[in-house]
Amino acid sequence: MATNHLLEINQYGQSIWLDNLTRDIIQSGELKELVENQGISGITSNPAIFEKAIAGNVIYDTDIEAGIRSGLPTSKIYESLVFADIRNACDILRPLYQASNRLDGYVSIEVPPTIAHDTEATIAEARRYFQEINRENLMIKIPGTEPGLPAVEQVIADGINVNITLLFSVESYVNTAWAYIQGLEKRLAEGKDISRIASVASFFLSRIDSNIDAKIDAKLKKGVDDIAVEAKLKAVKGKVAIANAKIAYQEYKKIIRSERWQALAAKGAKVQQLLWASTSTKDPNYRDVMYIEELIGRDTVNTVPPATIKACADHCNVSESLETDVDKAYTLIENLKDPDINIDIDNVMDELLVEGIDKFIQPFQSLMNSLEEKIKVLSPV
């Protein structure tokens, strides 16, 4: 029988989560099989995933009809569908959650992306989602925007698990890590238990390379007279996201060595794991599993779409790669400032955050529109 390389990755202290959730994989038993035998130990979802799951699928029609009969508005019908899927996924992962001492076995759901810039609304929705879904291995996804971080701090203080999403820059990751720590400190100061709370910081990868590669291709297309300059530009392609992630992990190590973190750890706090997101390779010239192979390391998570999971199970080269070539990673990021390359990475990260929120809002609105259409079709005349 062929080796499943996902199981090898688990041995290096990294969890593999599935970046996909549909009712089909719950009802068919596929999700249970992935969790019990294939090395999958968590799930992330987002509006784009739910749009694909619900829009063209009759499996949800009975529940939509029940929502219509109860006179529910579209937003509540959406929640009834999604919350049911999330609860069922949480139940499948619960044994793993318990066996791992609550380090693993989480299912993530996003608060509506339309409130990404509203701190108070984000806190209110995170509390409501956690209460209504009512599963302790649920993680609420909150964007790592400037208004998102105070929400993270408060929600952690409330005892709610949080997946901070849409992190691109190392600085935004560090800010997120301290928001988690401040939330734990606040909870501890209130005399409450901090040992049952978990958090991941979702650091996005392929979108960084897609953005920077496009900028490099534009420079190369204009024409570069100097062979050395051309070589410099080509040397950066497809390399920035992984270098950036390796640097973020070094920051993580500094944070967990800090006195503030050590004081929390002594009270039972769990480390906030770095989670690698956006891990399907967009450029066919790159290895299809590079965002997995090159970032394997302890206390991290990689959330992977189904096609990349199959590819990795089949042909990932597994080694403790996250801390190899770290010096080269720092050099590569520094080299972006070279006048011949001239890419402002801070600018790129800002662009990606704005785009990232749009990429969640658009499918969320599209999902609501297609659900409304479905409600019209299924409504009795």
Side-chain angles (χ1 to χ4, degrees):
M1 194 175 163
T3 303
N4 175 354
H5 298 294
L6 296 170
L7 298 173
E8 288 177 42
I9 290 172
N10 297 158
Q11 291 165 17
Y12 285 98
Q14 183 175 78
S15 300
I16 300 291
W17 291 4
L18 174 67
D19 192 22
N20 186 46
L21 182 59
T22 66
R23 192 162 289 187
D24 301 69
I25 67 166
I26 293 169
Q27 292 188 352
S28 68
E30 184 187 342
L31 180 58
K32 198 166 188 284
E33 162 65 16
L34 284 167
V35 170
E36 290 180 357
N37 302 311
Q38 304 297 321
I40 299 303
S41 56
I43 299 170
T44 47
S45 65
N46 63 44
I49 287 169
F50 279 125
E51 186 202 12
K52 284 181 195 149
I54 295 171
N57 199 331
V58 295
I59 204 168
Y60 291 95
D61 287 4
T62 306
D63 283 358
I64 293 170
E65 286 166 343
I68 295 165
R69 283 195 301 276
S70 301
L72 296 179
T74 303
S75 62
K76 290 294 174 191
I77 291 177
Y78 157 75
E79 285 181 4
S80 72
L81 305 177
V82 169
F83 287 9
D85 286 357
I86 295 283
R87 281 188 202 106
N88 289 328
C90 282
D91 292 344
I92 290 166
L93 281 150
R94 188 175 170 78
L96 203 151
Y97 166 76
Q98 290 171 321
S100 68
N101 189 26
R102 303 186 190 89
L103 279 169
D104 227 335
Y106 290 93
V107 181
S108 291
I109 182 173
E110 190 115 15
V111 292
T114 46
I115 59 170
H117 297 295
D118 186 332
T119 304
E120 292 308 316
T122 298
I123 293 167
E125 285 296 80
R127 286 170 174 162
R128 184 174 71 83
Y129 275 33
F130 201 70
Q131 193 174 1
E132 288 191 19
I133 294 170
N134 192 26
R135 294 293 185 274
E136 58 181 344
N137 55 328
L138 174 71
M139 260 188 185
I140 305 293
K141 285 171 94 172
I142 296 176
T145 55
E146 206 174 311
L149 293 184
V152 167
E153 188 179 322
Q154 183 55 53
V155 168
I156 290 290
D158 288 346
I160 295 169
N161 308 309
V162 182
N163 174 345
I164 300 97
T165 187
L166 288 177
L167 303 175
F168 296 97
S169 72
V170 173
E171 183 190 7
S172 65
Y173 157 64
V174 170
N175 291 340
T176 288
W178 288 109
Y180 174 57
I181 286 169
Q182 282 156 211
L184 290 174
E185 287 171 338
K186 192 172 177 180
R187 186 169 175 81
L188 196 59
E190 291 166 0
K192 293 174 183 167
D193 176 31
I194 58 169
S195 69
R196 302 173 73 90
I197 305 162
S199 178
V200 293
S202 292
F203 206 70
F204 280 54
L205 301 173
S206 64
R207 293 184 196 180
I208 295 172
D209 283 335
S210 297
N211 183 300
I212 287 176
D213 286 3
K215 288 175 167 60
I216 289 168
D217 287 340
K219 288 173 192 282
L220 291 168
K221 201 173 177 183
K222 277 185 189 169
V224 178
D225 298 334
D226 190 327
I227 294 170
V229 172
E230 188 179 337
K232 274 187 198 177
L233 287 165
K234 286 183 174 172
V236 169
K237 279 194 73 177
K239 298 279 196 315
V240 175
I242 286 164
N244 200 45
K246 288 187 175 192
I247 292 168
Y249 189 70
Q250 295 306 307
E251 291 300 317
Y252 157 79
K253 285 172 68 186
K254 286 179 201 168
I255 289 163
I256 61 167
R257 285 195 298 265
S258 71
E259 281 182 27
R260 279 174 73 185
W261 174 254
Q262 291 297 325
L264 292 167
K267 299 284 186 182
K270 291 175 170 44
V271 293
Q272 182 190 57
Q273 298 185 94
L274 262 162
L275 177 148
W276 313 127
S278 178
T279 55
S280 62
T281 310
K282 305 296 188 282
D283 187 325
N285 296 312
Y286 299 153
R287 190 163 161 79
D288 59 354
V289 289
M290 74 176 191
Y291 295 118
I292 303 175
E293 285 179 341
E294 299 196 40
L295 294 170
I296 298 169
R298 196 152 299 286
D299 292 329
T300 57
V301 178
N302 200 320
T303 184
V304 189
T308 312
I309 278 180
K310 284 186 183 137
C312 182
D314 177 65
H315 57 258
C316 259
N317 293 318
V318 178
S319 65
E320 201 157 5
S321 50
L322 184 52
E323 295 204 79
T324 58
D325 296 329
V326 172
D327 290 347
K328 285 183 185 170
Y330 282 104
T331 304
L332 184 108
I333 299 298
E334 192 57 36
N335 285 349
L336 296 175
K337 295 174 188 167
D338 182 318
D340 292 330
I341 300 173
N342 192 26
I343 287 174
D344 184 336
I345 192 161
D346 295 333
N347 239 0
V348 168
M349 300 312 184
D350 291 345
E351 273 174 39
L352 287 167
L353 180 58
V354 172
E355 271 174 31
I357 291 163
D358 285 346
K359 280 182 179 171
F360 283 163
I361 289 173
Q362 285 161 8
F364 182 74
Q365 289 175 333
S366 173
L367 167 57
M368 289 305 176
N369 293 340
S370 47
L371 192 52
E372 272 174 22
E373 288 304 311
K374 216 167 206 204
I375 289 165
K376 280 179 197 165
V377 171
L378 295 172
S379 292
V381 178

